[in-house]
Amino acid sequence: MLVGDPVGRLAVDLKGKLATPGVFVCLNRRCLDRLEVDGLARATGIDRLDAQDVAALPERIGAALSTRVKSLLGMAQRSGNLTSGTSAAMAALKRAPPSGWIAVVARDASPDVARRLCRAAQARGVTLVRYLTTIELGDSIGKSPRCIVVIEDAGLARSARETIARLEAIMGRDVVVMHP
């Protein structure tokens, strides 16, 4: 949802909890590219909205979704439903249930490691995502840089999958999802 914040700027409200006038928009690049400045200003109650604000929306929504993914990784870590590190993740993927989990491999992981993890995930039907960097993955779970994290809770994994799908629809090439 796009809303007008108290200062009069355009804000992204993914949960729809802000009590200000807003507009629901389809979260894909094509819909965002078709937004009109005047209509958006009217719907959000913003007096002065320019084309630059609207043009920056995909990046702002992408940043909000990225923050959500990192929060889900942190929640999984705190609840004990996340395995991180190459060796531990490989062991976890070997005992993974047929579906429900999600593995996030860093974009800057070595090609050999990424290939091995991809094979292990596909063998068990685990969704694999190439997203974030090793530093970002480690920071999101409060640890040193990691090449891979595996969310082992079905509910958290589903939320992460849905958020990443939205992110992929907006950012495209920055997120690579490999379905089993």
Side-chain angles (χ1 to χ4, degrees):
M1 178 174 204
L2 301 175
V3 298
D5 68 7
V7 182
R9 291 183 311 225
L10 197 59
V12 177
D13 180 18
L14 293 177
K15 294 184 179 183
K17 303 246 179 190
L18 295 177
T20 59
V23 60
F24 287 96
V25 294
C26 173
L27 288 182
N28 72 43
R29 190 64 168 216
R30 189 175 31 206
C31 291
L32 292 174
D33 288 343
R34 293 176 48 197
L35 287 175
E36 294 181 10
V37 175
D38 294 337
L40 192 56
R42 224 178 5 262
T44 56
I46 297 174
D47 294 332
R48 296 180 47 175
L49 184 66
D50 60 12
Q52 290 177 339
D53 291 334
V54 176
L57 275 177
E59 287 74 28
R60 291 180 61 199
I61 294 172
L65 290 169
S66 185
T67 300
R68 172 85 174 131
V69 170
K70 292 173 186 176
S71 295
L72 289 168
L73 292 174
M75 273 191 270
Q77 173 67 29
R78 287 187 300 280
S79 67
N81 291 307
L82 184 126
T83 302
S84 66
T86 307
S87 301
M90 286 296 284
L93 288 172
K94 288 181 182 172
R95 63 177 169 74
S99 65
W101 291 7
I102 186 170
V104 181
V105 178
R107 284 191 312 246
D108 57 348
S110 75
D112 183 50
V113 168
R115 192 172 26 259
R116 285 188 300 137
L117 292 166
C118 183
R119 277 197 301 261
Q122 285 179 336
R124 296 300 294 171
V126 173
T127 301
L128 184 102
V129 178
R130 293 291 304 261
Y131 181 58
L132 301 173
T133 63
T134 54
I135 293 172
E136 290 171 324
L137 273 179
D139 285 348
S140 65
I141 62 171
K143 296 191 176 203
S144 60
R146 304 291 163 141
C147 284
I148 183 171
V149 295
V150 178
I151 299 178
E152 299 176 1
D153 177 75
L156 287 171
R158 183 178 57 253
S159 292
R161 235 186 328 275
E162 290 169 359
T163 304
I164 289 169
R166 288 178 173 174
L167 190 59
E168 183 182 28
I170 292 173
M171 302 307 285
R173 61 180 168 71
D174 293 339
V175 182
V176 178
V177 179
M178 297 172 208
H179 299 283

